[in-house]
């Protein structure tokens, strides 16, 4: 039991017998660079760039400069976030206790070597294969391997499998396998993988990008064939038209903006010592409709103290019994009991059954008798309400532990009789009331799912003046049938005396029609954290809980949650708001490509002209708008809301250009002489959409709108030749003014029609 010495450890490290082969805190810089550089749309843009070069029209290749800048910004932001998160993650990385040279010490999990002696307690993840060499009454959750949620009892000589979790007891185990050599390594890796929550924002954007991706190549080919073979345009004109059509369809700025907004949010949270373990974790929290939390460690600060002991039978020495029952100070309850009762070993222990969140009590068999300590309802068939002397304590929200004498059979105590109640005060966090009120004001429902007595939890919430404190139910009263559970979960705010499996099923039932967040820090929270849409773990909790969560609060401060939610809302709301600015170009570029193919007409834009519109009417303003404060609650319907702005404006661009093409053909006017009108009217519609998005106008937004408008107009005038625009005639100017005036009414009309269709068919995506 002395473990390895320094020479043993160094020998194993030098021979590669160390558990660090697959250590990866975040993506490497090489991976970040490659993943941001080699993308489908970047490859398409490079191909378009090469095609433009074959025409000799280098001025129309300026769009690649924007792509390069976008890529560099994205790489810079992600590397910056990586460095901050890596520093925070390493500082808060999982530690494991090992015995070396006869002493216990904590090391990082990746420093474990073969033959190390691990000291494992409640909540520890087993990250390697090991064999128990000392300790009994250890229970392990092997659901990741077997799929069964029941804890498995382990004894000396039994194997502990990587990927499982200690749920009760304490053991010493010798490491026998590491890295890929661990038992069922691939199976565990697959089964233990944290769920990949793709939030509605990413799903919505990805669904749009999939459609665009499918349409790009056939549209480009048909556009070139139409212009080169049917319209008899030159090779250069046909290529430039096809490139402009395809380039306009790609909303590359939207992807960049989404990535930057999420990354900036992650960096902001990291500075507040919050680890966003998945980029979409911050967004998921912003969409939460229901927030489930355990009482201990969230509403309360996790510290406890014994305030009173009520003896029901004076012939028993409660102090001595409890003092002899105490073993290890594993959690806050153990520490509070150890401080009040003198831990001793006067009685000879025959058998010890450690506390588990499923059993809700611990038990010890002495020569003098068998005793249980834990939840009254699980030790006996009585309830707290059956004891009037406890009312004054439950009204204050105090926890009540029950000491019983009974008979220990296997791992269960039977025929229990109550001999004493131990009253424990759970200290409420100073900012708990303020935090709960915040979520109430944001229309986020709260569900407190606790292992404590529901009446105790109710009185703590009552003390915080929170509505719904009287809507509680005990785990024993919850229906086992899932369909029945679904029908009642929304009726209660407090669920007490629930098992880990019940916590999971409550979260699952709530998820049926809501986005659910779960805060937890203990072994009993792991299943619910994994089941929830967004798991939030406290850093001072067990490592297994942290490993399955999307968000980790390294300061374990429940009060930081409003900041995280607000940051997520800022990201989602702003991305939702500016997405329509990018999609308007995608919409009219695709429709105009189809029009050009059908009419065998030259494409109405050159790539350089689309770059101008994209820069001053979309890219620059959207960058500023995406970083603005915006803390309103996120509501579903991303695609419906985005297209409500983008589609009417995109259709107006199409109608404008179709009308101009008709005038060109009817009056035999060279279309090149009307390109100034085409670009001007299209730029106006983009700026009009920007005006709608900026409403209500603040001083900053007014400055942004005016600056972008002036910059766009001046660029058309001062760089007219560079933009391949002819000097407009008087009739051209009049035509552009008439189109602009008509567009105001057309956008309004198309929006009304869009709203009617959405209402008719029900837009929920």
């Amino acid at each position: 039991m002395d473990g390895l010495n320094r020479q043993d450890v160094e020998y194993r490290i030098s021979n590669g017998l160390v558990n660090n082969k697959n250590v990866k805190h975040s993506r490497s810089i090489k991976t970040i660079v490659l993943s941001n550089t080699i993308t489908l749309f970047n490859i398409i843009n490079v191909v378009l760039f090469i095609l433009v070069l074959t025409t000799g029209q280098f001025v129309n290749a300026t769009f690649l400069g924007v792509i390069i800048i976008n890529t560099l910004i994205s790489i810079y932001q992600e590397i910056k976030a990586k460095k901050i998160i890596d520093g925070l993650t390493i500082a808060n990385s999982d530690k494991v206790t090992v015995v070396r040279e006869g002493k216990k010490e904590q090391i990082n999990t990746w420093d474990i070597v073969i033959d190390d002696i691990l000291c494992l307690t409640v909540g520890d993840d087993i990250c390697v294969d090991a064999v128990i060499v000392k300790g009994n009454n250890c229970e392990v959750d092997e659901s990741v391997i077997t799929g069964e949620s029941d804890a498995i009892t382990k004894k000396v000589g039994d194997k502990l499998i990587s990927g499982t979790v200690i749920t009760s007891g304490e053991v010493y185990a010798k490491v026998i396998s590491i890295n890929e050599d661990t038992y069922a390594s691939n199976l565990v890796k697959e089964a233990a993988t944290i769920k990949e929550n793709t939030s509605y924002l990413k799903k919505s954007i990805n669904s749009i990008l999939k459609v665009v991706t499918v349409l790009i190549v056939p549209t480009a080919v048909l556009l070139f064939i139409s212009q080169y073979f049917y319209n008899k345009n030159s090779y250069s004109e046909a290529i430039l038209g096809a490139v402009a059509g395809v380039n306009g369809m790609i909303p590359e700025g939207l992807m960049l903006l989404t990535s930057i907004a999420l990354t900036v949010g992650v960096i902001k949270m990291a500075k507040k010592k919050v680890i966003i373990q998945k980029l979409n974790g911050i967004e998921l929290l912003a969409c939460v409709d229901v927030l489930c939390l355990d009482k201990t460690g969230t509403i309360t600060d996790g510290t406890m103290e014994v305030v009173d002991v009520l003896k029901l039978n004076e012939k028993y020495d409660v102090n001595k019994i409890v003092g002899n029952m105490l073993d290890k100070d594993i959690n806050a309850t153990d520490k509070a009991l150890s401080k009040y009762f003198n831990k001793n070993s006067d009685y000879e222990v025959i058998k010890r059954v450690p506390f588990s969140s499923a059993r809700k009590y611990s038990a010890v068999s002495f020569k003098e008798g068998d005793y249980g300590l834990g939840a009254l309802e699980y030790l006996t068939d009585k309830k707290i309400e059956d004891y009037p002397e406890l009312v004054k304590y439950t009204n204050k929200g105090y926890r009540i532990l029950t000491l019983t004498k009974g008979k220990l059979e296997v791992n269960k105590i039977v025929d229990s009789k109550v001999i004493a109640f131990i009253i424990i005060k759970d200290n409420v966090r100073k900012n708990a009331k303020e935090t709960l009120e915040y979520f109430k004001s944001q229309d986020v429902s709260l569900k407190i799912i606790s292992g404590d007595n529901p009446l105790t939890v109710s009185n703590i919430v009552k003390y915080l003046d929170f509505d719904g404190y009287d809507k509680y139910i005990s785990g024993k009263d919850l229906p086992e049938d899932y369909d029945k559970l679904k029908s009642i979960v929304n009726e209660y705010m407090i669920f007490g005396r629930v098992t880990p499996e019940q916590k999971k099923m409550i979260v699952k039932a709530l998820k049926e029609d809501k986005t659910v967040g779960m805060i937890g820090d203990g072994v009993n929270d792991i299943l619910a954290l994994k089941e929830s849409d967004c798991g939030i773990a406290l850093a001072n909790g067990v490592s297994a809980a942290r490993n399955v969560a999307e968000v980790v609060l390294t300061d374990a401060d429940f009060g930081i949650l409003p900041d995280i939610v607000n940051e997520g809302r800022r990201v989602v709301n702003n991305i939702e708001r500016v997405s329509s600015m990018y999609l308007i170009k995608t919409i009219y570029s695709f429709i105009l490509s189809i029009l050009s193919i059908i009419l065998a007409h030259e494409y109405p834009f050159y790539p350089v002209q689309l770059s101008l519109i994209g820069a001053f009417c979309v890219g620059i303003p959207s960058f500023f708008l995406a970083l603005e404060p915006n803390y309103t609650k996120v509501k579903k319907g991303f695609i419906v809301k985005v297209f409500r702005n983008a589609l009417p404006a995109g259709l107006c661009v199409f109608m404008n250009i179709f009308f101009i093409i008709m005038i060109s053909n009817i009056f035999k006017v060279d279309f090149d002489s009307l390109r100034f009108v085409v670009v001007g009217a299209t730029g106006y519609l983009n700026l009009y959409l920007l005006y709608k998005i900026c409403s209500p106008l603040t001083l900053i937004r007014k400055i942004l709108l005016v600056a972008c408008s002036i910059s766009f107009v001046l660029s058309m005038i001062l760089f007219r030749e560079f933009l391949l625009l002819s000097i407009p005639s008087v009739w051209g100017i009049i035509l552009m003014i008439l189109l602009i005036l008509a567009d105001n009414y057309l956008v309004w009309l198309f929006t009304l029609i869009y709203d009617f269709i959405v209402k008719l068919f029900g837009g929920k995506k």
Side-chain angles (χ1 to χ4, degrees), residues 42 70 186 188 233 278 302 444 494 565 616 636 668:
N42 278 359
N70 286 352
N186 293 329
V188 173
N233 284 349
K278 293 183 181 177
V444 176
I494 297 166
V565 172
F616 291 112
K636 298 294 178 70
K668 307 299 180 185

Side-chain angles (χ1 to χ4, degrees), residues 574-593:
N574 286 339
I575 292 300
E576 187 177 88
R577 184 169 61 175
V578 302
S579 291
S580 55
M581 296 170 61
Y582 288 93
L583 294 179
I584 179 179
K585 185 162 70 85
T586 300
I587 291 169
Y588 69 67
S589 294
F590 174 68
I591 300 176
L592 289 175
S593 296

Side-chain angles (χ1 to χ4, degrees), residues 166-419:
I166 304 289
T167 57
S168 73
E170 179 185 62
V171 293
Y172 292 85
K174 183 179 180 180
V175 177
I176 58 172
S177 299
I178 55 175
N179 297 323
E180 286 93 349
D181 296 329
T182 56
Y183 176 77
S185 178
N186 293 329
L187 175 64
V188 173
K189 191 184 300 178
E190 182 180 345
T193 298
I194 304 169
K195 60 190 180 303
E196 187 55 49
N197 276 326
T198 302
S199 57
Y200 97 97
L201 175 62
K202 283 197 168 185
K203 282 181 181 177
S204 300
I205 291 176
N206 286 340
S207 63
I208 294 170
L209 296 181
K210 283 177 184 176
V211 174
V212 172
T213 304
V214 170
L215 295 175
I216 280 177
V217 175
T219 302
V221 173
L222 291 174
L223 196 56
F224 176 79
I225 292 173
S226 171
Q227 296 196 45
Y228 186 70
F229 291 102
Y230 292 96
N231 196 37
K232 304 302 181 182
N233 284 349
S234 66
Y235 169 79
S236 294
E237 289 176 324
I239 286 292
L240 291 178
V243 168
V246 172
N247 183 249
M249 289 172 61
I250 301 174
E252 68 279 340
L254 176 58
M255 294 177 290
L256 170 73
L257 210 62
T258 303
S259 177
I260 287 178
L262 287 169
T263 305
V264 168
V266 169
I267 292 172
K268 283 185 177 181
M269 289 298 97
K271 289 178 179 178
K272 294 187 177 184
K273 297 189 177 180
V274 175
I275 301 176
I276 308 296
Q277 298 198 129
K278 293 183 181 177
L279 197 59
N280 62 345
I282 192 170
E283 176 201 334
L284 285 164
L285 249 185
C287 303
V288 161
D289 301 307
V290 179
L291 187 63
C292 301
L293 48 137
D294 193 356
K295 172 182 69 69
T296 306
T298 51
I299 294 178
T300 59
D301 62 12
T303 62
M304 301 178 187
E305 58 180 308
V306 177
V307 294
D308 203 354
V309 176
L310 298 182
K311 299 177 182 178
L312 274 63
N313 194 325
E314 290 293 339
K315 77 173 186 177
Y316 295 101
D317 188 340
V318 174
N319 287 350
K320 203 165 189 177
I321 294 170
V322 176
N324 278 275
M325 291 183 74
L326 297 174
D327 186 22
K328 303 287 185 180
D329 291 346
I330 294 173
N331 53 43
T333 305
D334 294 334
K335 291 174 183 176
L337 292 172
S338 295
K339 192 173 180 180
Y340 188 88
F341 301 96
N342 294 320
K343 189 187 298 184
N344 55 69
S345 54
D346 296 340
Y347 295 166
E348 182 182 342
V349 176
I350 298 173
K351 184 176 182 181
R352 188 184 294 277
V353 177
F355 176 86
S356 78
S357 50
R359 190 165 38 241
K360 299 207 178 299
Y361 64 82
S362 61
V364 179
S365 177
F366 302 115
K367 277 190 175 182
E368 292 77 7
D370 300 344
Y371 298 92
L373 182 64
L376 174 66
E377 299 91 331
Y378 283 76
L379 285 165
T380 70
D381 57 0
K382 300 284 188 179
K383 295 184 178 181
I384 292 291
E385 293 84 349
D386 296 331
Y387 296 86
E389 59 267 47
L390 298 177
V391 173
K392 65 178 180 180
Y393 297 110
T394 56
N395 285 343
K396 292 180 180 179
Y398 291 167
R399 295 182 64 194
I400 298 173
L401 287 183
T402 306
L403 178 64
T404 66
K405 187 176 188 307
K407 186 177 180 182
L408 188 58
E409 295 180 354
V410 192
N411 280 349
K412 186 176 181 181
I413 194 160
V414 297
D415 300 329
S416 288
K417 294 181 180 179
V418 179
I419 59 177

Side-chain angles (χ1 to χ4, degrees), residues 668-740:
K668 307 299 180 185
V669 178
D670 183 13
F671 187 78
D672 279 339
S673 67
L674 295 173
R675 286 190 191 272
F676 192 96
V677 179
V678 169
V679 174
T682 304
Y684 167 77
L685 279 166
N686 279 270
L687 289 169
Y688 178 72
L689 180 58
L690 174 61
Y691 165 76
K692 286 179 65 178
I693 288 170
C694 283
S695 298
L697 291 174
T698 61
L699 178 61
I700 298 296
R701 292 179 184 179
K702 287 177 182 177
I703 293 172
L704 179 66
L705 184 60
V706 171
C708 289
S709 300
I710 292 174
S711 299
F712 174 72
V713 173
L714 287 178
S715 296
M716 284 186 64
I717 296 171
L718 298 177
F719 303 105
R720 179 181 53 78
E721 293 183 4
F722 177 79
L723 295 169
L724 306 177
L725 296 173
S726 303
I727 299 175
S729 63
V730 175
W731 289 109
I733 297 293
I734 293 172
L735 175 61
M736 184 168 64
I737 293 171
L738 290 174
L739 288 174
I740 287 172

